[in-house]
Amino acid sequence: MEQKTERKILKMIGFVILSVILFGIVLVLMISSDERWYAYLILAASAGSLIILRRTKFWYGWRVPLYWILALVIAWGGLFAGQPPVDIQPYTAMNLEQPSASYKLLLNNVTVVDTRTGNLTSNMSLLSAGGKIIDIAPAGSIKADKDTKVVDATGKYAVPGYLDMHMHMIGEEHTSEAMSLLLANGVTGFRQMSGSPELLKEWRSGAFTSSTDQPALLSMPSNVLTPMNAPTPKVAVDYVRQQQKEGADFIKIGGVRPDVFNAVLAEGKKLNIPVVGHVLPDVDLKVAAENGIRSVEHFGINHGALISASTDEKTLRAKATAIPSITANPIFVQLMKIKGLQNFVNKQVMSAAIKSSGGEKDPALLQQLIDTYSEEKATQLADIFVENNTWQTPTVMRIHAGLLSSGSDSISQELYNLYLQLVKTYDSEGVKMMVGTDGGGGDNWRDAGNSIHQEFDELEKAGISPLHVLQMTTFNGAEFLGRLDDMGTVEAGKNADLVLLDANPIESVQNLHKIHAVVRAGSYRDKTELDAIKEEIGAK
């Protein structure tokens, strides 16, 4: 009798634990799913039915496996029936109306800096209207009318607005404040490096480009490719096609298996859509360049570039952390088709990846990277980038923060110095590079504006010339985007997005910090107004 009672108690405890686990999973799925959460109620109903049946006289014999099969079929069918449709209608490009100031702007006695050559043309007048530069001529030759705001720019240097070509600005809690800080620090345009179908729809409808109070969003992908949404080559290829239909400007790889990586590059080339992003260290950067990756972010990631520049490259690459093989498992692939589960797992994995993206922490392995660094191999890597027109967004300030933010031990300092040496090698060999900061509207949104100036300083430490740093944040970004017809230089017909500097930027990188005024689509803000914006937002 006591044994039966004990058995019943144990069974009851087992059912309670099973119920808590099943309904806990359902609750997580429902919370993490943005839409069609009702599908998870079917899962809950199926699990609940099994538990109830288990306590009845019907739970015996051949009925038991039948109940399990029916419950699984109903639950699985309900989950997939509740997923959003993937039939995306092809995006049709539209010419969105660009912002412009309500007045004409005339800058007199300004020195125009040619970002192609570094040449200076002094004592010029620059007239803008409708968000465009409409005339540049010798000072005094352009007459102002009553609708013109006239500014004496004697001693000032006009350069194009700064471009930050690696940001995660849109879709964050403090996007608006961070974008205002960007503009107050000279940034008039940026490349967004993460997105979604919903954000693409907003942007294509005119959001993030239509204000003279904020910089323009210049380019954006859909969802970043990860092992959750792109676990196998076939799934990844289908996803690339879907993202192109959604209107993505490019495909962003966050981190995927080598076979998936190569499949995405091949499909991007086939569809003529650029593929950019992270190149994990188990993928050879040289091969990635030859296979058509358009831009490499953060030197690859996790010391990928240093591995490619090592005389012991094969050994180091074999030790490199790879995506777990479970991501190619058919069960994992099917589970990741459940949007709520995919979103939840993806969020956790991405968070963990960001925290560990500084690379390998084993001192012996890091010392091996340092000891086997080869300038000859670094030059060969750079030459392959040049040959294949593979762009780089080094984000040196991110490397600095990852290696030295918590102190400067000898290994971290040596690694940091190697990255400075590597970016100098890239520059010397003619690799096309852009300024990027990895900043955004998230937890560190208050640093959004300062970050680009920190990157200027890092590039100066690497020995990059003032002209090349200026080009990296103006001309090069415009060239990369294929927009030299309206950006990248101070010329008639270009966008009236400008920075006025108090000192010559060709003489010193430090002069890029000396902002006297910012012009966004012809709207003029002097230093007093810019400082007021920083102070007001900083006080929030």
Side-chain angles (χ1 to χ4, degrees), residues 75-386:
W76 198 258
L79 285 171
F80 280 97
Q83 298 312 301
V86 294
D87 183 21
I88 306 296
Q89 294 299 316
Y91 163 72
T92 301
M94 298 182 296
N95 291 321
L96 299 176
E97 183 178 351
Q98 296 301 306
S100 64
S102 58
Y103 53 83
K104 295 179 182 179
L105 174 66
L106 179 61
L107 305 177
N108 280 327
N109 306 308
V110 69
T111 296
V112 175
V113 180
D114 186 341
T115 49
R116 288 190 177 91
T117 63
N119 292 336
L120 307 176
T121 306
S122 57
N123 298 317
M124 302 300 290
S125 286
L126 184 153
L127 179 66
S128 69
K132 295 284 187 179
I133 300 171
I134 60 174
D135 196 9
I136 300 177
S141 61
I142 301 177
K143 303 303 180 183
D145 57 32
K146 62 179 181 179
D147 296 325
T148 303
K149 178 182 181 71
V150 180
V151 174
D152 182 7
T154 301
K156 310 305 176 189
Y157 296 79
V159 299
Y162 300 155
L163 304 180
D164 190 326
M165 295 298 285
H166 190 121
M167 299 210 79
H168 297 273
M169 180 62 60
I170 303 302
E172 299 288 347
E173 183 179 357
H174 295 284
T175 290
S176 180
E177 297 97 324
M179 287 180 72
S180 294
L181 286 176
L182 282 182
L183 190 69
N185 283 277
V187 178
T188 59
F190 64 96
R191 179 175 61 146
Q192 172 77 7
M193 295 301 289
S194 53
S196 68
E198 294 76 21
L199 288 174
L200 283 169
K201 286 180 182 178
E202 282 190 66
W203 180 35
R204 299 304 190 186
S205 298
F208 318 126
T209 59
S210 58
S211 173
T212 62
D213 297 327
Q214 297 178 337
L217 167 58
L218 302 173
S219 186
M220 182 167 64
S222 187
N223 292 311
V224 176
L225 269 57
T226 69
M228 274 56 72
N229 56 34
T232 67
K234 182 181 185 306
V235 174
V237 165
D238 289 342
Y239 202 31
V240 168
R241 294 170 183 168
Q242 178 183 326
Q243 291 197 355
Q244 186 194 44
K245 289 183 178 180
E246 291 168 352
D249 281 319
F250 57 90
I251 305 299
K252 164 74 181 293
I253 294 178
V256 294
R257 293 163 56 89
D259 56 343
V260 174
F261 184 90
N262 292 328
V264 169
L265 289 182
E267 189 64 20
K269 187 181 296 184
K270 179 180 176 182
L271 298 177
N272 196 30
I273 184 170
V275 178
V276 311
H278 302 167
V279 183
L280 296 186
D282 55 357
V283 174
D284 189 341
L285 274 169
K286 298 182 290 295
V287 175
E290 290 167 348
N291 287 344
I293 192 165
R294 177 67 168 149
S295 75
V296 175
E297 313 300 313
H298 322 304
F299 293 99
I301 204 171
N302 295 356
H303 307 312
L306 296 186
I307 291 175
S308 290
S310 167
T311 55
D312 205 4
E313 179 180 357
K314 288 184 179 180
T315 302
L316 288 167
R317 199 175 305 288
K319 295 179 181 179
T321 303
I323 303 295
S325 59
I326 190 176
T327 58
N329 184 283
I331 296 176
F332 180 87
V333 172
Q334 291 302 313
L335 286 173
M336 288 303 104
K337 290 182 180 179
I338 302 171
K339 184 179 179 184
L341 181 59
Q342 181 194 106
N343 290 347
F344 177 76
V345 175
N346 197 56
K347 184 176 181 181
Q348 308 312 311
V349 171
M350 290 293 284
S351 177
I354 290 171
K355 291 179 181 178
S356 64
S357 64
E360 178 60 54
K361 300 296 189 273
D362 178 13
L365 197 58
L366 295 178
Q367 190 62 54
Q368 185 180 2
L369 267 177
I370 295 167
D371 294 341
T372 61
Y373 180 83
S374 165
E375 184 60 30
E376 181 181 356
K377 289 205 66 177
T379 300
Q380 291 172 356
L381 175 63
D383 291 344
I384 288 174
F385 289 153
V386 172

Side-chain angles (χ1 to χ4, degrees), residues 446-468:
R446 295 179 189 276
D447 295 330
N450 293 326
S451 296
I452 196 167
H453 293 276
Q454 294 171 19
E455 185 70 2
F456 294 160
D457 290 341
E458 294 294 336
L459 294 170
E460 182 182 41
K461 289 179 191 175
I464 311 301
S465 71
L467 173 59
H468 283 190

